[in-house]
Amino acid sequence: MDRLHLDYRIVKADTGIMGGLLSEEFQAITPLGEDILVLCDSCEFSSNIEVAACVPQKPAEAETELEMELVETPDSRTIEEVVETLNKPVNKFVKTLIYNVDGKAVAVMVRGDREVNETKLRKLFNATEVELADVTMVKEATGAEIGFAGPVGIHCTLVADEEVTYMQNFVVGANKTGYHYTNVNQKDFKIDIVADVRNIMEGDTCPCCGGKIEFKHGIEVGNTFKLGTKYSKAMGLQYLDSNNQLQDVWMGSYGIGPARAMAALCEQNVDENGINWPKEIAPYQVAIVIISMKDEQQVLKANEIYEALKAKGIDVILDDRDERPGVKFKDMELIGIPFRITVGKGIKDGNVEWKARTNDKEDVSIEEIVEKALDALK
Ligand SMILES: [Zn+2]
């Protein structure tokens, strides 16, 4: 990735169906990326959102715990609607979502402005399938329509995000269609499991250093998996060690997506003239453009330089099309050749023009041009 000159981050990732001990993704930073990368503004912390650990936000000071109160909220099902009806800040609400975890109902509580992280939930239960429960399952667990679930008197396993355990006098669904409870506290219900089951958010506290979390988008251009002995054990892949003992083979998996890496490089290196490929992977390293194809001397010199560069192992293209110089310059920039040698009238004085894509042109003597190219490509 360094040699490709990609702007990338190595982020911790879910091992997914591949399994194993640890997975890391190589993510190229670009606003067009489909993955959300969780980064810290103060340290090197980086993670895929699926596995980013959360630090609970604790209230500044403790409140006096009030008595729970049943309130009518007839048309309020979504958190936005309940917030509006009851006119309290969203962080005084707790959402309770009913999940179908391998066929069993599980209620998950997170603060009103948080989202449940289904990957963390799946890991918590070591489950295969995690999805939001359907109407029937919700009714069985809560006794109410969707939108009124809450922890008080619920008939299924109750998971609370760690942050919820620091909250006081909050609002929850009442497990009764058209009603919520206000001023709810932990004494009013029984949590089965407390765990980190939410998505980290921008502005949250970094789990490593206490800095601020920020998000960037990325394209996954590579990944690594520490597989341990998961597959070798399953398939009986062993070797004899120096003591003649059979041992399981330790495995790793390392992948690069060449097409994705190309796409990410284009995104990161495009300028107004086309693709600015890093010289290591440009289709050609040097282009030689002949100004006038009618000038035999120009054609001859250009061909000599072309052969000389090739002899030094430089990847070079000779543009000897019968086109106007402007067209040739544009085309070479468009396809992203990093260096250009222009052979024109200057050869009378023994000079050609050298131009790096991102620098101004300069005159270089024909004798020195091969050295110049070799230097630039070092
Ligand atoms: Zn940090």
Side-chain angles (χ1 to χ4, degrees):
M1 297 302 157
D2 286 339
R3 286 176 66 198
L4 289 174
H5 298 277
L6 271 171
D7 175 16
Y8 71 98
R9 301 284 189 286
I10 301 173
V11 301
K12 278 204 183 63
D14 181 35
T15 52
I17 52 165
M18 189 87 148
L21 309 170
L22 176 72
S23 168
E24 286 180 334
E25 290 171 353
F26 289 69
Q27 291 274 1
I29 306 290
T30 153
L32 294 184
E34 65 211 331
D35 289 330
I36 294 176
L37 314 185
V38 180
L39 307 171
C40 172
D41 71 353
S42 316
C43 78
E44 293 296 300
F45 175 76
S46 62
S47 175
N48 191 305
I49 193 163
E50 289 182 323
V51 296
C54 296
V55 179
Q57 195 184 318
K58 299 173 188 174
E61 50 195 81
E63 298 173 20
T64 310
E65 295 194 347
L66 305 171
E67 280 311 304
M68 184 171 86
E69 197 181 327
L70 187 68
V71 292
E72 215 173 334
T73 51
D75 298 317
S76 309
R77 286 159 191 270
T78 66
I79 191 76
E80 291 81 16
E81 288 165 351
V82 191
V83 164
E84 204 182 300
T85 307
L86 296 179
N87 193 26
K88 284 176 192 279
V90 69
N91 63 9
K92 293 301 278 182
F93 288 76
V94 170
K95 288 192 281 199
T96 307
L97 292 122
I98 313 298
Y99 275 91
N100 179 341
V101 177
D102 284 347
K104 281 194 181 132
V106 172
V108 183
M109 301 170 73
V110 289
R111 205 174 76 184
D113 54 341
R114 304 297 198 186
E115 278 172 19
V116 174
N117 179 313
E118 294 181 8
T119 304
K120 289 180 183 175
L121 191 60
R122 180 169 51 74
K123 280 192 178 155
L124 181 65
F125 285 92
N126 203 8
T128 317
E129 201 86 57
V130 166
E131 56 180 3
L132 277 170
D134 61 14
V135 187
T136 319
M137 196 179 253
V138 171
K139 265 195 170 160
E140 269 174 28
T142 68
E145 305 283 337
I146 285 178
F148 300 97
V152 183
I154 198 154
H155 307 294
C156 66
T157 304
L158 183 61
V159 178
D161 180 61
E162 198 187 347
E163 192 172 64
V164 172
T165 63
Y166 296 99
M167 294 175 67
Q168 291 177 297
N169 300 323
F170 48 89
V171 180
V172 297
N175 294 327
K176 191 174 170 191
T177 305
Y179 289 89
H180 280 76
Y181 283 120
T182 59
N183 298 331
V184 175
N185 291 287
Q186 271 190 74
K187 62 179 165 54
D188 301 316
F189 57 91
K190 190 185 156 289
I191 300 169
D192 295 306
I193 304 168
V194 175
D196 169 12
V197 285
R198 70 174 175 92
N199 277 338
I200 202 163
M201 284 166 74
E202 273 189 293
D204 273 356
T205 305
C206 167
C208 288
C209 79
K212 250 204 174 90
I213 289 297
E214 53 187 27
F215 285 1
K216 284 201 165 134
H217 283 268
I219 297 176
E220 186 184 348
V221 290
N223 55 33
T224 61
F225 294 87
K226 279 189 186 170
L227 298 172
T229 55
K230 178 181 172 178
Y231 292 98
S232 53
K233 270 210 171 83
M235 304 179 98
L237 178 63
Q238 294 182 310
Y239 68 97
L240 277 178
D241 68 10
S242 51
N243 300 320
N244 242 12
Q245 298 293 310
L246 274 173
Q247 302 285 356
D248 294 321
V249 172
W250 281 69
M251 294 172 64
S253 165
Y254 312 91
I256 293 180
R260 282 161 164 255
M262 297 278 276
L265 274 169
C266 287
E267 283 305 329
Q268 289 182 358
N269 293 290
V270 73
D271 61 27
E272 67 274 16
N273 297 318
I275 306 164
N276 185 9
W277 292 113
K279 58 182 189 271
E280 286 80 358
I281 57 159
Y284 294 96
Q285 295 167 314
V286 178
I288 302 172
V289 172
I290 302 169
I291 293 291
S292 170
M293 288 302 294
K294 293 188 184 73
D295 185 328
E296 278 178 25
Q297 278 305 307
Q298 287 184 22
V299 176
L300 190 72
K301 278 292 165 213
N303 275 281
E304 279 174 21
I305 296 168
Y306 174 73
E307 293 301 337
L309 291 180
K310 265 209 325 194
K312 291 288 184 186
I314 294 174
D315 204 359
V316 56
I317 183 171
L318 176 65
D319 191 347
D320 56 2
R321 293 176 297 164
D322 198 7
E323 286 281 1
R324 284 181 294 113
V327 172
K328 295 183 183 181
F329 293 160
K330 275 272 168 247
D331 284 351
M332 293 306 117
E333 280 177 345
L334 186 65
I335 61 177
I337 318 264
F339 300 104
R340 187 179 77 212
I341 295 167
T342 308
V343 181
K345 282 183 184 150
I347 56 164
K348 286 195 188 103
D349 310 315
N351 288 333
V352 290
E353 212 177 78
W354 169 263
K355 187 178 182 319
R357 186 186 177 97
T358 46
N359 287 329
D360 291 336
K361 51 197 176 188
E362 55 181 304
D363 284 338
V364 176
S365 76
I366 294 170
E367 290 80 55
E368 286 166 8
I369 194 66
V370 174
E371 263 323 293
K372 181 85 185 171
L374 285 171
D375 266 1
L377 290 168
K378 250 178 209 162

